Amino acid sequence: VDAMYGYKVTGLGDVNGDGYDDVAVSAPAAVDVIGATTIVGAGAVFVYFGSSAGLPVTPSRVLRSSTPVANALFGFSVAAGNVTGDSKKDIIVGSPAESYTTSVSGLPASATVTAGKVYVFNGQTIAGAGPYTSASVFLNGSLYFSNGVLGVLASNVNTNALFGFSVAATEDMNN
């Protein structure tokens, strides 16, 4: 099975607050179990906490989508920064091929789109035993998607927006 392990290797800084830098290794095609019997490549990010001895052989944490979707490419992009304002580094993960149902303009008023998501995993919970809380950011609603006229003319629900293709963190932008 080709999990694309090592597609992205990201220095995270000190996520768990122990004084040693940590590393994330993504595998956008890593297998996951969806439902009771379906095994698909949904993606994962493996986090290794640094120590005085270096990095461990096995991952310290494994991050996955809270709603795994086949071929979502979870882990296609990875970054770290203090997004939540709690002085801990958070891990930002892009999943540019993730699909979800959203409201759209036109009829029918909802559609499943493959537009991508970005997940932010709270560094404070990653440092603990879990569960690892995350928030997801995605394009949602009729401002972004339309079924067009009769579901055909001017429809954009089949366009892959690739939201999460690239992610980054920055310092406080409004201060």
Side-chain angles (χ1 to χ4, degrees), residues 56-75:
V57 175
T58 58
S60 309
R61 303 287 184 266
V62 178
L63 307 179
R64 295 185 182 275
S65 167
S66 55
T67 55
V69 176
N71 305 315
L73 297 175
F74 179 90

Side-chain angles (χ1 to χ4, degrees), residues 22-165:
D22 308 313
V23 174
V25 178
S26 77
V31 284
D32 201 350
V33 178
I34 299 176
T37 58
T38 305
I39 299 174
V40 296
V45 173
F46 302 91
V47 179
Y48 297 86
F49 291 155
S51 71
S52 60
L55 296 173
V57 175
T58 58
S60 309
R61 303 287 184 266
V62 178
L63 307 179
R64 295 185 182 275
S65 167
S66 55
T67 55
V69 176
N71 305 315
L73 297 175
F74 179 90
F76 190 83
S77 55
V78 180
N82 182 14
V83 176
T84 58
D86 62 3
S87 75
K88 291 258 190 192
K89 294 250 183 171
D90 305 303
I91 300 175
I92 307 156
V93 179
S95 185
E98 188 151 337
S99 59
Y100 52 90
T101 301
T102 183
S103 59
V104 299
S105 64
L107 293 173
S110 68
T112 298
V113 296
T114 302
K117 284 187 179 181
V118 171
Y119 291 86
V120 178
F121 288 87
N122 186 308
Q124 200 160 18
T125 62
I126 291 172
Y132 316 118
T133 59
S134 68
S136 59
V137 180
F138 53 96
L139 303 175
N140 188 20
S142 60
L143 292 175
Y144 301 103
F145 301 106
S146 172
N147 269 326
V149 179
L150 301 175
V152 180
L153 193 60
S155 174
N156 71 349
V157 295
N158 294 322
T159 302
N160 188 344
L162 296 174
F163 190 71
F165 183 83

